[in-house]
Amino acid sequence: MKKNQNFLPSFLLGVTAGAIVTVFLQGEKGQSIIRKAKAGIKDVSADLKTGIENMDDTLEKWVNRGRSIINELKGKGKDDMYDLEEIFS
């Protein structure tokens, strides 16, 4: 019974909060906040797209660096502990 008694005040509080937010967002300040948020989202999405496009180059650099390290270890005779070709092929 106690749960049901809390429902109506909670529901009314939620409706009131929703109405306040809606009225605020319809005003000039609210519209300004929405414009800024949209611009921020566009910037973040552009940065993310650029990062994804550059991921291939970055991974290729890491792979080449790993191969270089393997070749250096082979040249120093340090490959007797591990089969480096098997690990990194």
Side-chain angles (χ1 to χ4, degrees):
M1 185 78 170
K2 196 168 193 176
K3 284 184 181 180
N4 293 337
Q5 290 175 345
N6 290 334
F7 175 76
L8 186 58
S10 299
F11 178 75
L12 292 175
L13 180 63
V15 168
T16 304
I20 290 170
V21 169
T22 301
V23 168
F24 174 74
L25 291 178
Q26 295 298 321
E28 186 57 39
K29 271 191 172 182
Q31 292 297 315
S32 174
I33 290 171
I34 290 172
R35 281 191 296 274
K36 288 177 184 178
K38 284 181 180 179
I41 290 170
K42 282 182 183 179
D43 290 345
V44 168
S45 64
D47 291 346
L48 183 61
K49 183 178 179 182
T50 302
I52 289 172
E53 289 171 351
N54 294 334
M55 191 182 316
D56 287 342
D57 294 335
T58 303
L59 291 175
E60 186 175 344
K61 287 177 187 176
W62 288 353
V63 167
N64 289 337
R65 179 64 183 141
R67 287 182 179 149
S68 173
I69 291 171
I70 289 170
N71 289 333
E72 287 178 26
L73 290 174
K74 281 184 176 180
K76 294 180 181 179
K78 304 246 181 195
D79 63 341
D80 43 339
M81 282 183 57
Y82 305 103
D83 185 3
L84 297 176
E85 285 295 326
E86 183 179 327
I87 292 172
F88 293 103
S89 60

